[in-house]
């Protein structure tokens, strides 16, 4: 049987696979075609800006050398004398916002402060009961999060649907024999994607004394991010902090990410001033777990061809001595 033109199969790259299907054949609706064209255009613009970074960095270095020479009263470097007039004209027109070139890393979270994060939580296929329970608790940990049963959904379809519905992040939780062992945070629309190992997971469900623990509030939490001092540590902080919206000053909920020897401890507390302003009682309300960063990619989780920004090398001779995130 010959298909009508509107039901012809599409030849698309994996990251732009549409979700709408009709009896095994992809159906191209006007809305879907518009969305695909928009995503392709935005991706091309992002890659173009990224390709310009090397040229902008080289131009910035030339301007910096001329500025230093003028400030110190030294002669202009010989290799820059032919370009001096044009570069000085550009320097005169710059302000504090345009003097330092921006990178694709700045672009990734450039609009993050304009609206609250919107997160989709899901799991690997056929999740066990402990993994499902853990994801239910993560839904309350991350404000504005929505949990989705994975079912038979493909990652590329999930990412495309999230882009269409203005989600800012996708969080995938994996397990091994019923024990949660992996967490992937993918920022939309273009990345980055951080891959963490999960260790020592203790959920609220595992704690027997429910009365002592109390209920989990849903107020936006204050964040404590401790000992992230390297460039990679600052990058990790940027990924983690943009999962949470800006809290009110008087909220009593606190979430801590404390780095020690490249293991990030997650703790969740509330505090009460029971005996006056100088007497503060801290109560842990769970869950708790440790994170170990092992990879950062510059694309979304569905893009297998995305550039790897950083990956752990555990078998190098110096890997046990080095601290990647902080002291």
């Amino acid at each position: 049987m010959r298909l009508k033109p509107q039901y012809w199969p599409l030849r698309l790259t994996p990251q732009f696979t549409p979700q709408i299907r009709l009896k095994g054949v992809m159906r191209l609706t006007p809305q879907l075609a518009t969305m695909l064209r928009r995503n392709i255009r935005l991706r091309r613009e992002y890659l173009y800006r990224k390709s310009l970074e090397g040229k902008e960095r080289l131009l910035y270095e030339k301007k910096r050398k001329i500025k230093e020479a003028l400030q110190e009263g030294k002669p202009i470097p010989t290799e820059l004398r032919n370009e001096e007039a044009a570069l000085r004209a550009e320097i005169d027109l710059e302000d504090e916002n345009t003097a330092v070139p921006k990178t694709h890393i700045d672009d990734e979270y450039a609009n993050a402060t304009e609206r609250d994060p919107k997160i989709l939580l899901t799991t690997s296929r056929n999740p066990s009961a402990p993994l499902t329970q853990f994801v239910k608790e993560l839904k309350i940990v991350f404000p504005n999060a929505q949990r989705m049963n994975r079912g038979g959904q493909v990652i590329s379809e999930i990412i495309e649907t999230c882009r269409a519905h203005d989600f800012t992040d996708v969080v995938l939780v994996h397990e091994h024999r019923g024990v949660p062992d992996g967490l992937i945070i993918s920022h939309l629309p273009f990345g980055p994607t951080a891959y963490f190992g999960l260790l020592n997971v203790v959920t609220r469900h595992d704690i027997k004394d429910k009365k002592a623990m109390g209920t989990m509030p849903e107020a936006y939490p204050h964040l404590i991010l401790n000992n992230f001092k390297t460039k990679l540590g600052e990058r990790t902080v940027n990924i983690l902090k943009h999962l949470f919206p800006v809290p009110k000053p008087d909220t009593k909920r606190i979430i801590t990410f404390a780095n020690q020897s490249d293991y990030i401890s997650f703790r969740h507390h509330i505090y009460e001033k029971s005996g006056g302003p100088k007497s503060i009682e801290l109560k842990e309300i769970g869950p708790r777990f440790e994170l170990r960063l092992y990879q950062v990619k510059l694309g979304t989780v569905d893009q297998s061809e995305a550039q790897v920004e950083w990956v752990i090398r555990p078998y190098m001779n110096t890997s046990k001595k080095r601290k990647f995130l902080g002291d």
Side-chain angles (χ1 to χ4, degrees), residues 123 126-137 147 149 175 180:
T123 64
N126 302 319
S128 63
L131 183 65
T132 305
Q133 183 63 41
F134 179 57
V135 173
K136 285 180 181 178
E137 294 184 12
R147 185 174 66 89
N149 293 328
E175 66 179 341

Side-chain angles (χ1 to χ4, degrees), residues 119 134 138 141-143 171 183 185 194 196-198 221-229 233-245 253-269 284 287-293 325-326:
I119 301 168
F134 179 57
L138 285 183
V141 167
F142 298 117
V171 177
L183 186 78
I185 300 172
F196 296 92
L198 264 177
H222 290 296
L223 295 182
I224 297 175
L225 298 147
N226 184 48
N227 195 23
F228 294 90
K229 297 181 179 178
E234 292 172 0
R235 178 74 157 145
T236 307
V237 163
N238 217 29
I239 293 168
L240 293 174
K241 75 178 182 182
H242 283 106
L243 296 174
F244 299 89
R253 184 182 175 197
I254 302 169
I255 284 178
T256 305
F257 292 95
N259 170 49
Q260 186 173 8
S261 300
D262 290 343
Y263 286 88
I264 304 168
S265 299
F266 173 90
R267 297 293 183 268
H268 189 193
H269 296 86
E284 186 174 358
R288 63 157 60 181
F289 50 85
E290 320 293 328
L291 295 169
R292 179 78 190 274
L293 179 68
L325 300 180

Side-chain angles (χ1 to χ4, degrees), residues 141-156:
V141 167
F142 298 117
N144 305 328
Q146 298 180 26
R147 185 174 66 89
M148 185 191 77
N149 293 328
R150 175 71 180 272
Q153 292 276 4
V154 183
I155 289 292
S156 58

Side-chain angles (χ1 to χ4, degrees), residues 120-229:
L120 180 77
L121 278 165
T122 189
T123 64
S124 51
R125 287 198 178 95
N126 302 319
S128 63
L131 183 65
T132 305
Q133 183 63 41
F134 179 57
V135 173
K136 285 180 181 178
E137 294 184 12
L138 285 183
K139 179 183 178 296
I140 306 176
V141 167
F142 298 117
N144 305 328
Q146 298 180 26
R147 185 174 66 89
M148 185 191 77
N149 293 328
R150 175 71 180 272
Q153 292 276 4
V154 183
I155 289 292
S156 58
E157 293 180 354
I158 293 173
I159 296 295
E160 199 58 50
T161 305
C162 288
R163 282 200 188 105
H165 290 84
D166 294 327
F167 281 85
T168 60
D169 295 272
V170 174
V171 177
L172 291 163
V173 189
H174 296 274
E175 66 179 341
H176 178 67
R177 295 186 178 181
V179 179
D181 72 335
L183 186 78
I184 302 173
I185 300 172
S186 186
H187 184 66
L188 299 179
F190 304 128
T193 301
Y195 295 78
F196 296 92
L198 264 177
L199 305 97
N200 306 325
V201 176
V202 180
T203 63
R204 288 167 54 87
H205 185 74
D206 297 333
I207 299 170
K208 305 300 180 187
D209 192 358
K210 298 290 190 294
K211 289 184 179 179
M213 186 171 49
T215 57
M216 187 188 292
E218 296 190 24
Y220 294 170
H222 290 296
L223 295 182
I224 297 175
L225 298 147
N226 184 48
N227 195 23
F228 294 90
K229 297 181 179 178

Side-chain angles (χ1 to χ4, degrees), residues 18-115:
Q19 190 182 17
I20 301 173
R21 296 174 183 273
L22 181 66
K23 294 182 180 180
V25 179
M26 299 178 189
R27 181 181 179 185
L28 184 61
T29 62
Q31 295 85 357
L32 184 61
T34 304
M35 184 183 71
L36 290 173
R37 284 196 296 268
R38 177 177 175 271
N39 284 338
I40 292 170
R41 176 176 56 78
L42 290 174
R43 183 68 185 169
R44 282 178 179 167
E45 288 177 3
Y46 172 74
L47 292 174
Y48 175 69
R49 289 197 305 273
K50 187 178 169 185
S51 69
L52 293 178
E53 285 178 21
K55 298 176 184 177
E56 291 177 357
R57 176 59 60 179
L58 184 62
L59 186 62
Y60 170 71
E61 288 299 323
K62 291 180 179 179
K63 292 177 186 175
R64 185 183 61 80
K65 288 178 181 177
I66 288 179
K67 280 183 183 178
E68 287 180 357
L70 293 173
Q71 289 171 359
E72 297 172 5
K74 294 181 179 179
I76 301 297
T78 310
E79 68 273 12
L80 298 177
R81 286 178 184 171
N82 293 335
E83 306 174 67
E84 179 190 354
L87 292 173
R88 288 182 71 168
E90 289 187 23
I91 290 170
D92 292 338
L93 296 172
E94 287 176 345
D95 58 16
E96 58 183 10
N97 294 322
T98 58
V100 180
K102 293 187 176 182
T103 67
H104 63 279
I105 293 175
D106 299 318
D107 287 341
E108 289 166 350
Y109 292 101
N111 302 321
T113 56
E114 295 177 3
R115 58 192 178 97

